[in-house]
Short mmCIF file of all heavy atoms in Angstrom, two decimals:
data_model
loop_
_atom_site.label_atom_id
_atom_site.label_comp_id
_atom_site.label_asym_id
_atom_site.label_seq_id
_atom_site.Cartn_x
_atom_site.Cartn_y
_atom_site.Cartn_z
N GLN A 1 -23.91 -169.11 -58.74
CA GLN A 1 -25.35 -169.29 -58.55
C GLN A 1 -25.60 -169.80 -57.13
O GLN A 1 -24.99 -170.79 -56.73
CB GLN A 1 -25.91 -170.29 -59.56
CG GLN A 1 -25.67 -169.94 -61.00
CD GLN A 1 -26.51 -168.78 -61.48
OE1 GLN A 1 -27.53 -168.44 -60.92
NE2 GLN A 1 -26.06 -168.14 -62.54
N TYR A 2 -26.49 -169.13 -56.39
CA TYR A 2 -26.80 -169.55 -55.03
C TYR A 2 -28.25 -170.03 -54.95
O TYR A 2 -29.15 -169.41 -55.52
CB TYR A 2 -26.58 -168.40 -54.04
CG TYR A 2 -25.13 -168.00 -53.97
CD1 TYR A 2 -24.67 -166.86 -54.60
CD2 TYR A 2 -24.21 -168.79 -53.29
CE1 TYR A 2 -23.33 -166.50 -54.55
CE2 TYR A 2 -22.87 -168.44 -53.24
CZ TYR A 2 -22.44 -167.30 -53.87
OH TYR A 2 -21.12 -166.96 -53.83
N ASP A 3 -28.45 -171.14 -54.24
CA ASP A 3 -29.78 -171.68 -54.03
C ASP A 3 -30.35 -171.11 -52.73
O ASP A 3 -29.71 -171.19 -51.68
CB ASP A 3 -29.74 -173.21 -53.93
CG ASP A 3 -29.32 -173.85 -55.24
OD1 ASP A 3 -29.80 -173.39 -56.30
OD2 ASP A 3 -28.50 -174.78 -55.22
N VAL A 4 -31.55 -170.55 -52.84
CA VAL A 4 -32.22 -169.90 -51.71
C VAL A 4 -33.55 -170.58 -51.47
O VAL A 4 -34.25 -170.95 -52.41
CB VAL A 4 -32.43 -168.40 -51.99
CG1 VAL A 4 -33.24 -167.74 -50.89
CG2 VAL A 4 -31.09 -167.69 -52.17
N ARG A 5 -33.90 -170.70 -50.19
CA ARG A 5 -35.21 -171.23 -49.80
C ARG A 5 -35.72 -170.42 -48.63
O ARG A 5 -34.98 -170.17 -47.67
CB ARG A 5 -35.08 -172.70 -49.40
CG ARG A 5 -36.39 -173.29 -48.98
CD ARG A 5 -36.24 -174.75 -48.64
NE ARG A 5 -37.49 -175.22 -48.10
CZ ARG A 5 -37.61 -176.24 -47.30
NH1 ARG A 5 -36.55 -176.93 -46.95
NH2 ARG A 5 -38.77 -176.59 -46.84
N VAL A 6 -36.98 -170.00 -48.69
CA VAL A 6 -37.62 -169.29 -47.59
C VAL A 6 -39.02 -169.84 -47.40
O VAL A 6 -39.64 -170.34 -48.33
CB VAL A 6 -37.68 -167.76 -47.83
CG1 VAL A 6 -36.29 -167.16 -47.86
CG2 VAL A 6 -38.43 -167.42 -49.10
N ASP A 7 -39.51 -169.75 -46.18
CA ASP A 7 -40.88 -170.17 -45.87
C ASP A 7 -41.66 -168.92 -45.48
O ASP A 7 -41.41 -168.33 -44.43
CB ASP A 7 -40.89 -171.19 -44.74
CG ASP A 7 -42.28 -171.75 -44.47
OD1 ASP A 7 -43.28 -171.12 -44.89
OD2 ASP A 7 -42.37 -172.80 -43.84
N LEU A 8 -42.58 -168.52 -46.31
CA LEU A 8 -43.31 -167.27 -46.10
C LEU A 8 -44.25 -167.32 -44.91
O LEU A 8 -44.70 -166.28 -44.44
CB LEU A 8 -44.10 -166.91 -47.37
CG LEU A 8 -43.27 -166.76 -48.64
CD1 LEU A 8 -44.17 -166.40 -49.82
CD2 LEU A 8 -42.18 -165.72 -48.46
N ALA A 9 -44.55 -168.51 -44.40
CA ALA A 9 -45.48 -168.64 -43.29
C ALA A 9 -44.78 -168.74 -41.94
O ALA A 9 -45.44 -168.79 -40.91
CB ALA A 9 -46.38 -169.86 -43.49
N THR A 10 -43.47 -168.78 -41.93
CA THR A 10 -42.70 -168.96 -40.70
C THR A 10 -42.17 -167.61 -40.23
O THR A 10 -41.68 -166.82 -41.03
CB THR A 10 -41.52 -169.92 -40.95
OG1 THR A 10 -42.04 -171.15 -41.44
CG2 THR A 10 -40.74 -170.18 -39.69
N ASP A 11 -42.23 -167.35 -38.94
CA ASP A 11 -41.62 -166.14 -38.40
C ASP A 11 -40.14 -166.13 -38.77
O ASP A 11 -39.45 -167.12 -38.58
CB ASP A 11 -41.75 -166.09 -36.87
CG ASP A 11 -43.15 -165.72 -36.42
OD1 ASP A 11 -43.92 -165.17 -37.23
OD2 ASP A 11 -43.48 -165.98 -35.25
N GLY A 12 -39.69 -165.03 -39.32
CA GLY A 12 -38.29 -164.93 -39.73
C GLY A 12 -38.00 -165.63 -41.04
O GLY A 12 -36.88 -165.64 -41.50
N PHE A 13 -39.00 -166.26 -41.63
CA PHE A 13 -38.93 -166.90 -42.94
C PHE A 13 -38.07 -168.16 -43.01
O PHE A 13 -37.97 -168.77 -44.06
CB PHE A 13 -38.43 -165.92 -44.02
CG PHE A 13 -39.29 -164.69 -44.13
CD1 PHE A 13 -38.80 -163.46 -43.70
CD2 PHE A 13 -40.57 -164.76 -44.65
CE1 PHE A 13 -39.58 -162.32 -43.80
CE2 PHE A 13 -41.36 -163.62 -44.75
CZ PHE A 13 -40.86 -162.40 -44.32
N ALA A 14 -37.44 -168.58 -41.93
CA ALA A 14 -36.58 -169.77 -41.92
C ALA A 14 -35.70 -169.83 -43.17
O ALA A 14 -35.70 -170.82 -43.90
CB ALA A 14 -37.42 -171.04 -41.79
N PRO A 15 -34.92 -168.77 -43.43
CA PRO A 15 -34.17 -168.70 -44.68
C PRO A 15 -33.00 -169.68 -44.75
O PRO A 15 -32.36 -169.98 -43.74
CB PRO A 15 -33.66 -167.26 -44.70
CG PRO A 15 -33.51 -166.91 -43.26
CD PRO A 15 -34.65 -167.63 -42.57
N ARG A 16 -32.75 -170.17 -45.97
CA ARG A 16 -31.56 -170.99 -46.24
C ARG A 16 -30.95 -170.53 -47.54
O ARG A 16 -31.65 -170.31 -48.53
CB ARG A 16 -31.95 -172.46 -46.37
CG ARG A 16 -32.23 -173.12 -45.05
CD ARG A 16 -32.22 -174.62 -45.22
NE ARG A 16 -33.47 -175.14 -44.69
CZ ARG A 16 -33.97 -176.30 -44.97
NH1 ARG A 16 -33.35 -177.10 -45.80
NH2 ARG A 16 -35.10 -176.70 -44.45
N CYS A 17 -29.64 -170.39 -47.51
CA CYS A 17 -28.89 -170.03 -48.71
C CYS A 17 -27.56 -170.76 -48.64
O CYS A 17 -26.99 -170.90 -47.55
CB CYS A 17 -28.67 -168.52 -48.79
SG CYS A 17 -27.77 -168.00 -50.27
N ASP A 18 -27.07 -171.22 -49.77
CA ASP A 18 -25.81 -171.96 -49.75
C ASP A 18 -24.59 -171.05 -49.96
O ASP A 18 -23.50 -171.53 -50.24
CB ASP A 18 -25.83 -173.13 -50.73
CG ASP A 18 -25.99 -172.72 -52.18
OD1 ASP A 18 -26.21 -171.51 -52.46
OD2 ASP A 18 -25.89 -173.60 -53.06
N CYS A 19 -24.75 -169.74 -49.75
CA CYS A 19 -23.61 -168.83 -49.83
C CYS A 19 -22.81 -168.89 -48.52
O CYS A 19 -23.30 -169.39 -47.51
CB CYS A 19 -24.07 -167.40 -50.11
SG CYS A 19 -24.75 -166.51 -48.69
N PRO A 20 -21.60 -168.35 -48.52
CA PRO A 20 -20.76 -168.43 -47.32
C PRO A 20 -21.02 -167.33 -46.29
O PRO A 20 -20.30 -167.24 -45.30
CB PRO A 20 -19.34 -168.29 -47.89
CG PRO A 20 -19.51 -167.50 -49.13
CD PRO A 20 -20.85 -167.91 -49.70
N TYR A 21 -22.07 -166.53 -46.44
CA TYR A 21 -22.35 -165.42 -45.51
C TYR A 21 -22.48 -165.95 -44.09
O TYR A 21 -23.20 -166.91 -43.83
CB TYR A 21 -23.64 -164.71 -45.93
CG TYR A 21 -24.06 -163.59 -45.01
CD1 TYR A 21 -23.38 -162.39 -45.01
CD2 TYR A 21 -25.14 -163.74 -44.15
CE1 TYR A 21 -23.77 -161.34 -44.19
CE2 TYR A 21 -25.54 -162.70 -43.33
CZ TYR A 21 -24.85 -161.51 -43.35
OH TYR A 21 -25.23 -160.48 -42.52
N ASP A 22 -21.78 -165.30 -43.16
CA ASP A 22 -21.89 -165.71 -41.74
C ASP A 22 -22.11 -164.51 -40.83
O ASP A 22 -21.79 -164.56 -39.65
CB ASP A 22 -20.65 -166.51 -41.32
CG ASP A 22 -19.38 -165.68 -41.32
OD1 ASP A 22 -19.40 -164.53 -41.81
OD2 ASP A 22 -18.35 -166.18 -40.84
N GLY A 23 -22.70 -163.45 -41.36
CA GLY A 23 -23.00 -162.26 -40.57
C GLY A 23 -24.33 -162.39 -39.86
O GLY A 23 -24.95 -163.46 -39.80
N LEU A 24 -24.77 -161.27 -39.31
CA LEU A 24 -26.05 -161.22 -38.61
C LEU A 24 -27.22 -161.28 -39.57
O LEU A 24 -27.22 -160.61 -40.60
CB LEU A 24 -26.15 -159.94 -37.78
CG LEU A 24 -25.15 -159.78 -36.65
CD1 LEU A 24 -25.29 -158.40 -36.02
CD2 LEU A 24 -25.37 -160.87 -35.61
N GLY A 25 -28.20 -162.08 -39.25
CA GLY A 25 -29.42 -162.15 -40.04
C GLY A 25 -29.23 -162.82 -41.39
O GLY A 25 -28.26 -163.54 -41.63
N ALA A 26 -30.19 -162.55 -42.27
CA ALA A 26 -30.21 -163.17 -43.59
C ALA A 26 -29.19 -162.51 -44.52
O ALA A 26 -28.82 -161.35 -44.33
CB ALA A 26 -31.61 -163.05 -44.18
N CYS A 27 -28.78 -163.24 -45.55
CA CYS A 27 -27.84 -162.73 -46.54
C CYS A 27 -28.58 -161.94 -47.63
O CYS A 27 -29.81 -161.96 -47.72
CB CYS A 27 -27.08 -163.89 -47.17
SG CYS A 27 -28.10 -164.95 -48.21
N LYS A 28 -27.81 -161.28 -48.48
CA LYS A 28 -28.38 -160.46 -49.55
C LYS A 28 -29.16 -161.29 -50.57
O LYS A 28 -30.11 -160.80 -51.17
CB LYS A 28 -27.28 -159.66 -50.25
CG LYS A 28 -26.23 -160.51 -50.94
CD LYS A 28 -25.07 -159.66 -51.41
CE LYS A 28 -23.94 -160.55 -51.90
NZ LYS A 28 -22.73 -159.76 -52.14
N HIS A 29 -28.80 -162.55 -50.74
CA HIS A 29 -29.51 -163.41 -51.69
C HIS A 29 -30.93 -163.69 -51.19
O HIS A 29 -31.89 -163.62 -51.94
CB HIS A 29 -28.73 -164.71 -51.90
CG HIS A 29 -27.30 -164.50 -52.22
ND1 HIS A 29 -26.31 -164.73 -51.30
CD2 HIS A 29 -26.69 -164.01 -53.33
CE1 HIS A 29 -25.15 -164.43 -51.84
NE2 HIS A 29 -25.34 -163.98 -53.07
N VAL A 30 -31.03 -163.99 -49.89
CA VAL A 30 -32.35 -164.21 -49.27
C VAL A 30 -33.17 -162.93 -49.33
O VAL A 30 -34.36 -162.96 -49.67
CB VAL A 30 -32.19 -164.70 -47.80
CG1 VAL A 30 -33.50 -164.61 -47.05
CG2 VAL A 30 -31.64 -166.12 -47.78
N VAL A 31 -32.55 -161.81 -49.01
CA VAL A 31 -33.25 -160.53 -49.03
C VAL A 31 -33.78 -160.22 -50.43
O VAL A 31 -34.93 -159.80 -50.59
CB VAL A 31 -32.34 -159.40 -48.51
CG1 VAL A 31 -32.97 -158.04 -48.75
CG2 VAL A 31 -32.04 -159.60 -47.03
N ALA A 32 -32.99 -160.48 -51.45
CA ALA A 32 -33.44 -160.24 -52.83
C ALA A 32 -34.67 -161.08 -53.15
O ALA A 32 -35.63 -160.58 -53.75
CB ALA A 32 -32.30 -160.53 -53.81
N VAL A 33 -34.66 -162.35 -52.74
CA VAL A 33 -35.81 -163.23 -53.00
C VAL A 33 -37.04 -162.73 -52.23
O VAL A 33 -38.14 -162.66 -52.79
CB VAL A 33 -35.47 -164.69 -52.64
CG1 VAL A 33 -36.71 -165.57 -52.67
CG2 VAL A 33 -34.40 -165.23 -53.57
N LEU A 34 -36.86 -162.37 -50.97
CA LEU A 34 -38.00 -161.87 -50.19
C LEU A 34 -38.56 -160.58 -50.77
O LEU A 34 -39.78 -160.40 -50.83
CB LEU A 34 -37.59 -161.68 -48.73
CG LEU A 34 -37.35 -162.96 -47.94
CD1 LEU A 34 -36.75 -162.64 -46.57
CD2 LEU A 34 -38.64 -163.76 -47.79
N LEU A 35 -37.68 -159.69 -51.20
CA LEU A 35 -38.15 -158.45 -51.81
C LEU A 35 -38.89 -158.72 -53.12
O LEU A 35 -39.86 -158.02 -53.45
CB LEU A 35 -36.99 -157.48 -52.03
CG LEU A 35 -36.42 -156.87 -50.76
CD1 LEU A 35 -35.17 -156.06 -51.07
CD2 LEU A 35 -37.46 -156.00 -50.05
N ARG A 36 -38.48 -159.72 -53.85
CA ARG A 36 -39.21 -160.12 -55.05
C ARG A 36 -40.63 -160.57 -54.67
O ARG A 36 -41.60 -160.29 -55.36
CB ARG A 36 -38.45 -161.22 -55.77
CG ARG A 36 -39.22 -161.96 -56.83
CD ARG A 36 -39.44 -161.15 -58.10
NE ARG A 36 -40.35 -161.82 -58.99
CZ ARG A 36 -40.01 -162.75 -59.86
NH1 ARG A 36 -38.76 -163.11 -59.98
NH2 ARG A 36 -40.93 -163.32 -60.60
N CYS A 37 -40.75 -161.25 -53.53
CA CYS A 37 -42.06 -161.71 -53.06
C CYS A 37 -42.94 -160.54 -52.63
O CYS A 37 -44.16 -160.65 -52.67
CB CYS A 37 -41.89 -162.70 -51.91
SG CYS A 37 -41.16 -164.28 -52.42
N VAL A 38 -42.33 -159.44 -52.21
CA VAL A 38 -43.08 -158.23 -51.88
C VAL A 38 -43.64 -157.63 -53.16
O VAL A 38 -44.82 -157.31 -53.26
CB VAL A 38 -42.19 -157.19 -51.15
CG1 VAL A 38 -42.91 -155.85 -51.02
CG2 VAL A 38 -41.77 -157.69 -49.78
N ASP A 39 -42.78 -157.46 -54.15
CA ASP A 39 -43.14 -156.76 -55.38
C ASP A 39 -43.93 -157.61 -56.37
O ASP A 39 -44.83 -157.12 -57.03
CB ASP A 39 -41.86 -156.28 -56.10
CG ASP A 39 -41.13 -155.21 -55.33
OD1 ASP A 39 -41.75 -154.54 -54.48
OD2 ASP A 39 -39.92 -155.04 -55.57
#
């Protein structure tokens, strides 16, 4: 289980996730939460 936090009013959403992802941009957990906010 990963804890995700995003701020919808901030440019780039200021995402936080406690997963070990260290690639470019946001992780898949953050993306899933943001896409849920779209739908």
Side-chain angles (χ1 to χ4, degrees):
Q1 303 288 340
Y2 295 104
D3 294 318
V4 174
R5 179 178 173 204
V6 295
D7 186 341
L8 303 180
T10 303
D11 285 341
F13 302 110
R16 284 196 234 161
C17 181
D18 63 354
C19 77
Y21 178 74
D22 66 351
L24 296 174
C27 68
K28 63 189 171 190
H29 309 106
V30 166
V31 170
V33 170
L34 289 172
L35 289 173
R36 166 73 189 276
C37 292
V38 170
D39 293 339

